[in-house]
Amino acid sequence: DKTDTDTESNTDNLRLLFRRSLPIGDADHALHHIMQEINVSFDEIWSDFKECMSACSRSFGSFFQLDRFRQRCIRANENLTGTAKQVLEKMFQECCPSFVEHRWQYIYETLSWVVPRQKALMLLNLQELEVDSEQLRLLWLLHGGGSDTVPASQASLQFWAAAHLLSQLAEWGHTVSGVLHGCPCHPAKRGSKRLDGQEAAPPPCPMAGRMGVPLACGLMKSLTNHLSGMVLRPATQHALENLRGSPGGENLATSLLQMFQTASARMIARSLQVFSYWDQLPWSLLMIARPWTEPQLEDHAAQAQAQRERVAFSRAATKLLIQKYDSANAASQGAMGEPCQ
């Protein structure tokens, strides 16, 4: 069929045209440097924080350790009701991911495991764990001696406030990584059902990771705007309020907020530094290809309207790029002076 042949030919041309538009390694390496600003900005507390996260990863990092934890701290806990035990056991079915300081994705995964289990970890008696004394001391930051009658220690409150703040920054990086590893031509779709009832991963697109066209159209500016306008979640605000309410906690909470703001500013500045070349020629030329790489709409009328708008954008962008090039070229010739006759 001629239509199928033309479609295959267009797909091959897209693969050829954009195969080098954004190598995955370049984006990952750039994002690695962006996320490293977190460690630098939280340097005052980073040493104790990373040690505590590592202790948590080691204590809950295997199914054997989790089973021992459920047996000693949940099933044998006489202060818990049957319903509470069932809920807590479900919360500790998955192992805590490994914590690797120089790999920010591991920090995100570990925080994604630890933060939602804050109340459970502060409720249960972690002293029952069979770990060495140093590891138990670090785990005490997760528990902090908190109960209905005894307030949590200030070190514990500071740890949880920092964990909530850091989890928001790490989640932003995780979102950016997912966008850059996606493709510009398909909307996010769920895969078909697997035999076990779970969602199967959708088939990979040949353009996966080739996000040069969206980046040339200002994708990174949009993502950094989300970072600059980030609002603290209610759980984060509550953790900071708890810290402020402790003796001398006002200064600690203010210091953590300053670290968070510093980290955000440094991450934004680093993002602009490592991705700003997409605003310059010749990389910005890729914005011209926007009409042919964006997702296709199911409604034909809407798709036709969207395509007309994309083509108009492409033409206006082309005109703007030519004007910028001519202006820069004229300024360069003016700086060098008139050529000799």
Side-chain angles (χ1 to χ4, degrees):
D1 184 53
K2 185 176 184 300
T3 305
D4 294 339
T5 304
D6 292 343
T7 302
E8 292 177 1
S9 177
N10 291 336
T11 302
D12 292 338
N13 290 336
L14 281 175
R15 292 178 186 175
L16 180 65
L17 182 60
F18 298 115
R19 69 186 187 279
R20 299 186 185 278
S21 60
L22 180 62
I24 286 294
D26 290 354
D28 285 342
H29 189 70
L31 190 58
H32 170 74
H33 285 288
I34 293 171
M35 301 305 293
Q36 274 189 324
E37 301 297 338
I38 294 178
N39 308 27
V40 178
S41 302
F42 284 83
D43 60 336
E44 294 181 19
I45 66 165
W46 187 254
S47 178
D48 291 337
F49 182 83
K50 71 176 182 180
E51 292 298 332
C52 183
M53 293 293 288
S54 297
C56 183
S57 181
R58 292 194 300 269
S59 302
F60 301 97
S62 71
F63 288 107
F64 171 76
Q65 291 168 315
L66 274 181
D67 187 61
R68 297 280 294 179
F69 171 75
R70 290 193 297 265
Q71 179 62 38
R72 287 174 169 268
C73 299
I74 299 178
R75 297 169 191 157
N77 194 330
E78 298 179 354
N79 297 324
L80 299 175
T81 63
T83 303
K85 290 180 180 181
Q86 292 178 1
V87 173
L88 289 171
E89 284 208 41
K90 288 183 180 179
M91 292 182 65
F92 291 93
Q93 293 291 334
E94 299 179 1
C95 296
C96 179
S98 300
F99 180 84
V100 182
E101 180 185 5
H102 60 276
R103 297 289 297 275
W104 70 267
Q105 280 282 17
Y106 286 78
I107 299 175
Y108 163 77
E109 292 172 0
T110 309
L111 284 171
S112 297
W113 190 94
V114 172
V115 171
R117 293 166 174 82
Q118 174 183 355
K119 291 186 177 180
L121 291 170
M122 295 185 72
L123 171 67
L124 299 171
N125 186 12
L126 302 183
Q127 299 285 353
E128 298 292 335
L129 291 174
E130 294 182 349
V131 295
D132 59 70
S133 58
E134 176 61 19
Q135 191 168 335
L136 192 61
R137 182 190 68 82
L138 293 168
L139 286 176
W140 190 246
L141 289 178
L142 300 177
H143 187 277
S147 67
D148 293 337
T149 56
V150 181
S153 68
Q154 190 175 78
S156 176
L157 294 175
Q158 184 183 28
F159 168 82
W160 285 112
H164 280 279
L165 290 169
L166 287 166
S167 68
Q168 292 199 212
L169 297 175
E171 185 177 346
W172 177 85
H174 178 73
T175 301
V176 172
S177 178
V179 170
L180 294 179
H181 281 76
C183 74
C185 45
H186 294 94
K189 290 184 178 180
R190 291 177 176 266
S192 57
K193 290 285 186 180
R194 298 188 312 198
L195 294 178
D196 58 3
Q198 300 297 321
E199 293 287 348
C205 174
M207 293 286 288
R210 315 299 179 180
M211 296 296 288
V213 175
L215 283 169
C217 294
L219 172 63
M220 204 60 201
K221 291 181 180 178
S222 174
L223 294 172
T224 52
N225 286 339
H226 286 294
L227 179 59
S228 61
M230 181 179 291
V231 178
L232 297 182
R233 293 190 289 249
T236 307
Q237 297 178 18
H238 182 68
L240 288 169
E241 288 300 323
N242 287 339
L243 178 59
R244 286 195 183 96
S246 64
E250 181 68 33
N251 292 335
L252 293 176
T254 302
S255 178
L256 283 178
L257 270 179
Q258 290 176 348
M259 294 179 197
F260 176 81
Q261 294 166 357
T262 300
S264 300
R266 292 177 70 106
M267 290 165 66
I268 292 171
R270 179 71 74 167
S271 300
L272 296 176
Q273 179 187 31
V274 297
F275 285 102
S276 61
Y277 66 92
W278 286 103
D279 298 329
Q280 308 297 324
L281 292 169
W283 298 278
S284 56
L285 285 172
L286 281 174
M287 72 167 63
I288 299 172
R290 178 186 173 188
W292 298 276
T293 59
E294 292 197 345
Q296 301 293 309
L297 304 179
E298 295 182 359
D299 184 82
H300 294 291
Q303 171 59 28
Q305 177 63 25
Q307 189 67 5
R308 285 193 292 269
E309 293 176 357
R310 294 167 183 172
V311 170
F313 169 85
S314 179
R315 290 174 176 171
T318 304
K319 182 178 180 181
L320 179 62
L321 288 174
I322 292 174
Q323 291 175 348
K324 289 175 66 176
Y325 176 80
D326 289 342
S327 298
N329 194 34
S332 176
Q333 291 182 357
M336 291 187 296
E338 294 295 331
C340 297
Q341 299 294 331

